[in-house]
Amino acid sequence: MFRLNYIGTPYRFNEAVEDGVVLDLRYEARDIDQRVASPGKIDAWFEARTKGLTPFAKATLKQRWGTLQRVLSSKDRLAEIASDIIMDMELKPRLKSGRGNAMLVAGSIPEACRLFEIFRGSGSDLAGKCAIVTSYKRNASELTGEEAGMGETDKQYVYRVYDRLMTDLATDEEAYETEALRMFRKEPAQMKLLIVVSRLLTGFDAPTATYIYIDKQMRDHGLFQAICRVNRLDGEDKPFGYVVDYKDLFKNIEMAVEDYTSEAFDAFDAEDVEGLISNRATKAGEDLMTARDAWFGLLDPVEQPKGDAEVLAYFSSPGGWAEDPQAEEKARRRQALYKLAAAYARAVAAAAEDPAASGVNDLQLAQYRSEVDHAIALRDAVRLHSGDAVDMKQFEPAMRHLIDTYIKAEESEVISHLDDISLIDLVASKGAAAEETLSRAMKGKRENVAEAIENNVRRLIIDETPVNPKFYERMSDLLTDLVQKRRDDAIAYAEYLQRIAELVRAVKAGHGAEYPSAMNTPGRKALYDNLDQDETRAQAVDAVIRETAQIGWRGNKMKERMLRRRLAELLEDNEAVERIIEIIRTHDEY
């Protein structure tokens, strides 16, 4: 039954759980350790397949394939995830009974296809009881230019998987999806698993969905919406929805749930946001001038008349990089060229969002856009002439073979011990026990807006950093470092989850203390503990807060002042008032 006092205000996730409208969630983190096999063979394979490429082109290829996401997409690792889910289907009561089913969120459409094929060929009960639902629709024209004669590219692979599936079933994508969703909702014993990427993560209601397995980096609103696919009521044998995480997402889940169980978004003033946006426009104008000066400064040493021939001679090695004594210097110049051309283009685009605020008139903007067009054309000409341009699809099959062959995976391991704790309790209890950390976070809501903008700029700088061909001379070193980083992160993550579990259980147990029956909520218990365990005083403070604290009081100076005044009348101690204010900031019941 819905509470009338929530009409006209946001109906928050924890409130919906308390009212029995949706189920609470349980969280489990699983880790799949990986290792690099045969580093020598990796290097031999890579060098053989990239013979003739410039050092910069090789580095570009390493940059594209030497990422943690590529490592995590290895065939061995995906097979371990599939084995995990097949085992769960046999062991988890609701999945085994056929009354419940599951969703698996893959990191990309090619990964979804690989997982689908693994299940289909597994010989398990899932072989004929899973479906793949993505945004992909077959279009033969998209394969034009993909045939490089060196193996199957991702595009060709995805097309082949879908084409064979639709041909075997004599259907098309739309009809296939419609039937898969019908069976998932109505016949869970016959459609036990949906493999998705971005589809069905919002607005898809299937009460039968009990488990969601996540192998995709997600955060904020999208992540919260995804985990809520499994919190729909569906009989007594479904007490919770279950979230199984392969991508160390608890901190992201924690933030997402906290946002939906608190007034985190109520602390932003329109003036604050407007001021930040205004500052951003001013900064865009400054960045534009900096990027333009840097671009023309790079071209200053080019000999007159600075035509195509002079530019190519300055940046490229017409006779081949191996024969040019200035090859390394020219490679550095080209890296600067690629970086600064892109920076100038982005700066002009940013200023164009609000030219007046950026201090740019229409005539100047037209001139800058023309200069950017020339800069991009020049960049592309140099990249092609120097041999730095790499047709990535030619190397895609070879690099996929390298990752799948030499990145091995171990069996999965559960690294969290949180299965006896609800997700809301995880978030709420952590907040109650770590109030100093969370109160700092609450104080910093306004700064977080600025930080988000700064992070975008920081990411842009990182993205623009030129590839250093000598940073990783061997592909095996790059992959080994990535696997080690993933392992180190997994160990740190497991330790973090262990601390959270200990913290939550301590708070749930009340640190071993017995509370009076009236102290029956986390907020009241916190007041009781911090008011010398004086039950009468704690009840009085609780009553004053509930009578005085208005919706959105956090961050609102006038509403906070009113609350402080009432507490001061009761407590007659300013230090105690401040302590109580900081405590109740982290309790969404107030």
Side-chain angles (χ1 to χ4, degrees), residues 21 82 114 125 177 193 229 272-273 291 371 432 464 470 476 516 521:
V21 177
R114 291 188 179 95
D125 192 38
E177 177 179 320
L193 180 70
R229 295 314 95 208
D272 293 338
V273 178
E371 291 171 356
E464 286 180 3
K470 292 193 174 182
S476 61
T521 70

Side-chain angles (χ1 to χ4, degrees), residues 121-182:
S122 66
S124 71
D125 192 38
L126 275 181
K129 297 179 180 179
C130 67
I132 180 171
V133 179
T134 73
S135 59
Y136 182 77
K137 298 290 185 292
R138 287 169 299 164
N139 182 357
S141 64
E142 73 179 16
L143 300 182
T144 303
E146 286 293 304
E147 184 53 63
M150 300 179 71
E152 191 174 48
T153 66
D154 275 353
K155 279 188 178 181
Q156 290 172 318
Y157 170 69
V158 171
Y159 184 92
R160 176 172 61 80
V161 170
Y162 266 84
D163 193 57
R164 184 169 60 192
L165 178 63
M166 300 308 155
T167 300
D168 288 348
L169 298 177
T171 188
D172 59 28
E173 289 87 346
E174 186 175 347
Y176 169 78
E177 177 179 320
T178 299
E179 177 61 9
L181 300 193
R182 184 197 67 77

Side-chain angles (χ1 to χ4, degrees), residues 515-516 518-519 523-546 567 570-571 580 590:
Y515 288 92
M519 301 295 101
R524 286 172 177 150
K525 289 177 182 178
L527 292 176
Y528 177 76
D529 286 337
N530 287 274
L531 290 169
D532 301 321
Q533 297 188 331
D534 184 330
E535 180 181 2
T536 302
R537 201 176 186 208
Q539 284 181 306
V541 171
D542 175 74
V544 164
I545 295 169
R546 293 181 188 276
L567 287 173
L570 177 65
L571 297 173
I580 295 301
Y590 295 117

Side-chain angles (χ1 to χ4, degrees), residues 164-391:
R164 184 169 60 192
L165 178 63
M166 300 308 155
T167 300
D168 288 348
L169 298 177
T171 188
D172 59 28
E173 289 87 346
E174 186 175 347
Y176 169 78
E177 177 179 320
T178 299
E179 177 61 9
L181 300 193
R182 184 197 67 77
M183 292 180 66
F184 190 79
R185 289 187 177 107
K186 303 297 183 183
E187 302 176 34
Q190 301 305 314
M191 184 54 68
K192 304 187 77 169
L193 180 70
L194 289 182
I195 305 170
V196 304
V197 177
S198 55
R199 296 287 308 285
L200 309 185
L201 297 184
T202 60
F204 172 62
D205 282 340
T208 57
T210 308
Y211 283 76
I212 184 165
Y213 299 87
I214 303 179
D215 191 41
K216 177 182 180 179
Q217 280 298 331
M218 304 177 73
R219 61 184 308 114
D220 302 333
H221 178 77
L223 176 58
F224 183 79
Q225 291 288 340
I227 64 178
C228 285
R229 295 314 95 208
V230 294
N231 73 355
R232 301 310 191 242
L233 304 175
D234 194 36
E236 294 298 320
D237 65 337
K238 185 186 177 184
F240 299 98
Y242 297 89
V243 179
V244 179
D245 170 21
Y246 290 96
K247 282 288 175 74
D248 299 354
L249 296 176
F250 178 73
K251 292 180 182 178
N252 291 351
I253 291 174
E254 183 183 33
M255 290 171 61
V257 173
E258 187 177 344
D259 285 341
Y260 280 85
T261 57
S262 70
E263 297 173 356
F265 296 121
D266 298 341
F268 297 113
D269 293 331
E271 300 79 34
D272 293 338
V273 178
E274 288 170 6
L276 287 164
I277 292 173
S278 175
N279 292 340
R280 185 181 179 188
T282 302
K283 188 69 167 56
E286 296 170 1
D287 291 345
L288 171 58
M289 292 300 101
T290 300
R292 186 170 185 263
D293 289 345
W295 170 251
F296 284 106
L298 177 70
L299 298 181
D300 273 347
V302 177
E303 292 184 7
Q304 295 293 344
K306 298 184 186 291
D308 291 348
E310 289 79 16
V311 168
L312 292 176
Y314 183 71
F315 287 102
S316 185
S317 302
W321 62 271
E323 308 299 326
D324 188 348
Q326 286 189 294
E328 287 197 19
E329 172 59 28
K330 289 182 177 179
R332 283 191 286 272
R333 294 173 189 169
R334 292 198 301 277
Q335 289 176 28
L337 175 77
Y338 304 150
K339 173 186 174 182
L340 295 179
Y344 189 19
R346 291 189 178 107
V348 169
E353 290 181 8
D354 191 347
S358 301
V360 178
N361 61 41
D362 291 344
L363 192 60
Q364 289 171 319
L365 187 59
Q367 177 188 343
Y368 299 151
R369 280 174 167 160
S370 176
E371 291 171 356
V372 162
D373 289 344
H374 181 260
I376 297 301
L378 193 152
R379 179 201 66 184
D380 293 344
V382 168
R383 183 174 282 160
L384 187 63
H385 186 269
S386 65
D388 286 346
V390 181
D391 184 357

